[in-house]
Amino acid sequence: MKNKISDSGYDKIDRKILDVLQDNARITNIELAQKVGLSPSPCLQRVRRLHESGLISRYVTLLNPLALGLTVSVFIQVSLEKQVERALEMFEKAIQSRPEVMECYLMTGDADYLLRVVVPDVQSLERFIVNYLSKIPGIASIKSSFALKQVKYKTALPLA
């Protein structure tokens, strides 16, 4: 199976541009052009095309959670009483506004949702679970697992 970039008519230079930008979105166009072997004008045109096509969805700054005092990372499995569309929509809408929820996935398997939550301490986690999460209608169970150590974390997608 071919990857989406190849299927979409993007070439090796486009992949290089995407790889470099995933590593450093603040790189100047001149530096980017040098790294991928283009002159600045065609490089900028390619970046604009990649953005307009939706392959580049946004630029972000990644912060160090430990430096900000966000030392507790928890994975929470949530099971709903019923897996009906209305219950799923209600849960997803409720979870969208919570800043401590970094990621939320609808899952197969034992739990309906898997959340990654980042908070400064266990008391903050307790407040989140007791005062907010457990009050969302339709939740059958909540199971938490603390991350002891982050072994690998990356944001760059594999393009090869």
Side-chain angles (χ1 to χ4, degrees), residues 16 52 68 92 97 105 117-118 121 123 136 142 146:
K16 280 184 183 177
E52 289 166 2
L68 293 167
E92 290 173 17
S97 65
Y105 299 96
V117 173
V118 176
D121 51 43
Q123 293 78 17
I136 298 172
I142 299 169
F146 287 83

Side-chain angles (χ1 to χ4, degrees), residues 3-147:
N3 67 36
K4 215 46 163 167
I5 293 174
S6 297
D7 294 346
S8 304
Y10 297 99
D11 61 19
K12 193 183 239 183
I13 294 173
D14 291 327
R15 284 191 293 276
K16 280 184 183 177
I17 289 170
L18 292 169
D19 271 335
V20 172
L21 288 175
Q22 283 192 108
D23 187 53
N24 179 8
R26 288 185 54 145
I27 192 170
T28 67
N29 183 59
I30 293 171
E31 292 170 318
L32 178 60
Q34 289 171 343
K35 284 187 179 258
V36 300
L38 290 175
S39 60
S41 184
C43 184
L44 186 58
Q45 288 174 344
R46 281 178 179 256
V47 171
R48 283 186 180 141
R49 182 177 49 80
L50 291 167
H51 195 274
E52 289 166 2
S53 74
L55 278 173
I56 298 173
S57 62
R58 62 186 169 151
Y59 297 93
V60 298
T61 299
L62 300 176
L63 304 178
N64 180 339
L66 299 178
L68 293 167
L70 299 168
T71 58
V72 178
S73 184
V74 183
F75 293 89
I76 301 176
Q77 295 179 341
V78 176
S79 295
L80 302 179
E81 292 170 352
K82 295 180 181 177
Q83 293 77 24
V84 294
E85 187 175 352
R86 176 78 180 119
L88 298 172
E89 288 172 358
M90 198 162 50
F91 178 82
E92 290 173 17
K93 184 177 180 187
I95 217 68
Q96 288 293 333
S97 65
R98 299 308 304 187
E100 58 271 272
V101 177
M102 304 304 297
E103 298 174 76
C104 177
Y105 299 96
L106 179 61
M107 304 293 290
T108 61
D110 295 334
D112 296 309
Y113 287 95
L114 178 65
L115 288 78
R116 183 172 70 90
V117 173
V118 176
V119 290
D121 51 43
V122 175
Q123 293 78 17
S124 298
L125 176 65
E126 178 187 5
R127 282 191 299 276
F128 169 71
I129 292 173
V130 171
N131 298 337
Y132 188 76
L133 190 59
S134 66
K135 293 186 178 178
I136 298 172
I139 291 183
S141 70
I142 299 169
K143 296 178 184 175
S144 302
S145 298
F146 287 83

